[in-house]
Amino acid sequence: IRARLLPNGEASANNNNKNSILESSSSSSSQSSVVTKIIHFQRHGQGTHNALYKQWTDKAGIPLDLSEMDPTKNPMVTDIILDAPLTQKGRDQCEAQKDYASKLENVELVIVSPLVRALQTAHITFGDYLPTTTTTTTATEQLQRRDVKWIAHEGIREELGTLMCNKRQPFSETKSQFPLVDYTHLPQVEEDVLWNDHAIQTSDENGVPQRESMEDMSHRAYDFLTEFVYRRPEREIAVVGHSAWLLAMTGAVLDLEDGDDNGSLEVKSMFGQAELRSLELVFMER
C-alpha cells in the first residue's frame, strides 16, 4: 500500500487537485489493479487513562510501567479505567479539529473504533457528518452530509491484552450512547469478544494474557486496510482510532517514500492527541 501525506490545502474540500491526484496515480497502472483513496486518520483526544498515566508519571518522576500487573503499581490494569472516555481537555482537542474536518466535504464514510473515546472523538470532530446533524450550511450540503455512513470496526481497536482502558464496555451501553453508528461489523453480544479471544489465546499458566505486540497490531492494520477499506466503494474516508494502532500501521504497513520532504518522517511519528493526518493511499494488487 503506497502512501503520501497530503498538505492541508490538498486534503480540504473543493480542492481542484484531488481528482488529478487520483487520476495520476491510476494512469501509471491498469485501472483494475490500482485503487486510490484519501483517508483522514485521526487519533482520539485525551482520555481519562492518558490523564491518569500522566498523573502517576509526574508523581513518581519516572514513566509508569505498563507491563506491571500489580494494580497498586499500575492503575491501567484495573476496571476503574475500563473503556476510558475523553477528558474535558480531550473534548476541547477534538473541538479544535472541527474546522479542518468541516472543510472535507467529500468524505463519504466515517469508520471508528468501538471504544468510547474514539466514538466521542469522531462525534465531536466529524459532527457535521452525522446523519441527523443540523448545520449552518445550505440545504443541499446538509442532505449530502446526511448520506455519510458511520461504521464501527474492530480492526482499528487499540492494543489488546492487559490495559483495561482498551477493553470495550458492554455492547448495549455503546449502542445506547452512540445510536447513529452502524455496528453490524461487530459481534452482536454484550461481552468484548475480541478482547476475550486474545486473552484465551495468549494467557500463561497463571491466566495472565500477553499484551498485543506491534507486529500483531500491524497485521490487524493490514487486514483492515486490504480486506475492508480497499473493498469499500467510498473514495474518501475518515478513520478514527488509537495511537499504538496508528503507529503500527504507519511504521509497518504503509509504503512511504523516504525523506522528510515527502512527509515520511511525519507520517511515521506517533499521532498527537486528536491529531488528524490526511493520506493518499494507493492499493496495488500484485
Side-chain angles (χ1 to χ4, degrees):
I1 305 171
R2 293 174 52 198
R4 180 171 72 92
L5 181 67
L6 296 177
N8 286 358
E10 263 184 42
S12 297
N14 297 324
N15 77 79
N16 295 321
N17 296 325
K18 177 173 177 285
N19 289 332
S20 63
I21 294 170
L22 300 175
E23 290 168 4
S24 64
S25 297
S26 299
S27 61
S28 61
S29 303
S30 168
Q31 291 286 342
S32 62
S33 62
V34 174
V35 173
T36 304
K37 297 176 185 281
I38 290 179
I39 312 293
H40 307 287
F41 290 102
Q42 185 182 24
R43 176 190 174 187
H44 63 79
Q46 185 194 61
T48 54
H49 64 303
N50 298 126
L52 185 60
Y53 177 92
K54 185 177 187 304
Q55 178 185 345
W56 276 60
T57 296
D58 289 348
K59 184 177 180 180
I62 57 173
L64 185 65
D65 182 3
L66 295 178
S67 64
E68 175 62 63
M69 292 304 298
D70 183 346
T72 65
K73 299 178 180 178
N74 179 13
M76 300 299 174
V77 298
T78 65
D79 286 341
I80 194 173
I81 206 72
L82 176 72
D83 204 350
L86 295 179
T87 62
Q88 184 57 52
K89 178 180 178 180
R91 290 176 175 274
D92 293 342
Q93 290 170 332
C94 298
E95 287 284 352
Q97 295 286 13
K98 284 187 68 173
D99 182 62
Y100 175 78
S102 68
K103 296 173 183 176
L104 305 171
E105 294 175 359
N106 295 302
V107 171
E108 303 167 88
L109 171 66
V110 176
I111 310 174
V112 59
S113 158
L115 297 184
V116 168
R117 58 189 180 274
L119 285 159
Q120 290 175 318
T121 295
H123 278 67
I124 296 171
T125 303
F126 293 96
D128 287 345
Y129 299 90
L130 284 166
T132 59
T133 187
T134 300
T135 71
T136 57
T137 56
T138 67
T140 300
E141 289 172 328
Q142 289 180 27
L143 181 60
Q144 289 173 340
R145 291 190 173 195
R146 288 196 182 102
D147 290 337
V148 174
K149 302 176 185 66
W150 283 63
I151 294 175
H153 199 286
E154 298 271 55
I156 50 178
R157 288 273 298 271
E158 185 59 300
E159 174 194 303
L160 304 171
T162 62
L163 307 180
M164 296 300 288
C165 52
N166 300 334
K167 184 177 181 180
R168 180 176 52 76
Q169 68 179 358
F171 191 35
S172 60
E173 294 181 23
T174 301
K175 289 191 295 181
S176 176
Q177 292 173 25
F178 308 98
L180 300 178
V181 178
D182 176 0
Y183 297 98
T184 56
H185 297 277
L186 274 64
Q188 302 298 299
V189 294
E190 279 289 270
E191 62 269 19
D192 189 344
V193 174
L194 187 67
W195 180 275
N196 293 342
D197 285 351
H198 176 83
I200 292 171
Q201 294 166 11
T202 66
S203 291
D204 59 21
E205 62 275 9
N206 297 315
V208 179
Q210 295 180 9
R211 291 176 60 190
E212 187 178 22
S213 68
M214 291 296 285
E215 180 180 358
D216 286 342
M217 270 188 286
S218 71
H219 291 315
R220 273 204 293 123
Y222 179 82
D223 290 342
F224 167 73
L225 291 175
T226 59
E227 299 298 323
F228 190 71
V229 172
Y230 168 71
R231 299 178 189 280
R232 294 292 308 183
E234 297 86 4
R235 297 179 74 181
E236 187 160 344
I237 301 170
V239 173
V240 182
H242 306 268
S243 60
W245 184 93
L246 288 163
L247 190 63
M249 178 198 67
T250 57
V253 177
L254 302 183
D255 180 10
L256 298 156
E257 294 183 12
D258 292 331
D260 196 29
D261 291 343
N262 299 312
S264 174
L265 297 180
E266 181 180 348
V267 173
K268 291 182 178 180
S269 64
M270 180 170 284
F271 278 61
Q273 292 169 355
E275 182 183 356
L276 258 168
R277 294 179 195 169
S278 298
L279 302 179
E280 178 188 68
L281 302 188
V282 180
F283 297 83
M284 306 181 69
E285 292 185 1
R286 296 179 179 177

